[in-house]
Amino acid sequence: MTPGRLIRPWAEADREPTRAIFNQAVAETTTVWRWRQVDPPGWEAFCQAHRSGRHSFLVAEESGQVVGFAATGPFRVPDGYELTGEDAIYIAPSAQGRGLGRALLGALIVSARAQGLHQLVAAVNAANTASLALHRKLGFAQVGLLPQCGHKFGRWLDLALLQLALDDHPQP
């Protein structure tokens, strides 16, 4: 681990710093396909969904400042998907390119296994080569591509689906 870097579970004090990182991605990137920033009640719902049941919400600190987060959340709503999670990783622009995404995703995979998840899915903008490479380095395989299934900033976006098997569970 890099000196001065800490990856830990989300705490109440992380609510606004993580929302600010997410909202920056909403405003400036196609990492997330939302058009409007998330208000406090909306962020509360996100935090609850990503900290309940088998899901985890981790934050990264550097020199005491929250600079990124990673979380697992429900892949789909019906009960039959309860052992499959979807990851989310967001890094503040000032902290990108220093291996933080790899550290967060690695810790998230360990946590997902410990929580008993069977599969982890990543839905990534197919043009986001850095995120695709990160997921592949940590064992994810691309299992699908949905051309032009979303749009933002006046252009169509393709969605790559990646998947990582976390264990060899027998059927539940």
Side-chain angles (χ1 to χ4, degrees):
M1 175 95 45
T2 302
R5 179 182 289 170
L6 173 66
I7 295 179
R8 60 171 175 74
W10 184 93
E12 199 61 40
D14 301 323
R15 181 178 310 283
E16 284 307 308
T18 54
R19 186 170 77 95
I21 291 167
F22 185 82
N23 278 338
Q24 178 278 326
V26 170
E28 299 176 13
T29 76
T30 56
T31 303
V32 59
W33 297 0
R34 296 180 64 97
W35 300 339
R36 289 176 291 285
Q37 295 194 353
V38 178
D39 62 11
W43 193 245
E44 173 62 26
F46 180 94
C47 293
Q48 281 296 100
H50 291 79
R51 291 178 22 243
S52 63
R54 297 179 185 273
H55 301 296
S56 303
F57 197 143
L58 305 175
V59 298
E61 284 185 10
E62 288 184 345
S63 303
Q65 297 292 321
V66 174
V67 293
F69 68 89
T72 57
F75 172 61
R76 298 195 63 190
V77 177
D79 297 339
Y81 294 102
E82 70 177 336
L83 298 177
T84 299
E86 183 175 348
D87 74 11
I89 303 168
Y90 295 91
I91 310 295
S94 63
Q96 292 175 1
R98 299 198 306 256
L100 190 57
R102 185 181 182 113
L104 272 168
L105 183 55
L108 191 66
I109 291 168
V110 169
S111 181
R113 282 189 173 115
Q115 295 286 70
L117 288 179
H118 179 58
Q119 299 284 335
L120 200 51
V121 173
V124 177
N125 177 348
N128 188 340
T129 56
S131 185
L132 293 172
L134 168 64
H135 282 85
R136 288 184 182 121
K137 282 180 190 169
L138 292 177
F140 284 75
Q142 187 167 330
V143 295
L145 179 70
L146 303 173
Q148 298 185 0
C149 69
H151 62 97
K152 189 173 179 181
F153 301 141
R155 66 182 194 266
W156 288 108
L157 303 171
D158 300 343
L159 186 68
L161 297 174
L162 297 96
Q163 184 175 5
L164 175 67
L166 296 171
D167 64 13
D168 294 321
H169 271 318
Q171 284 193 303

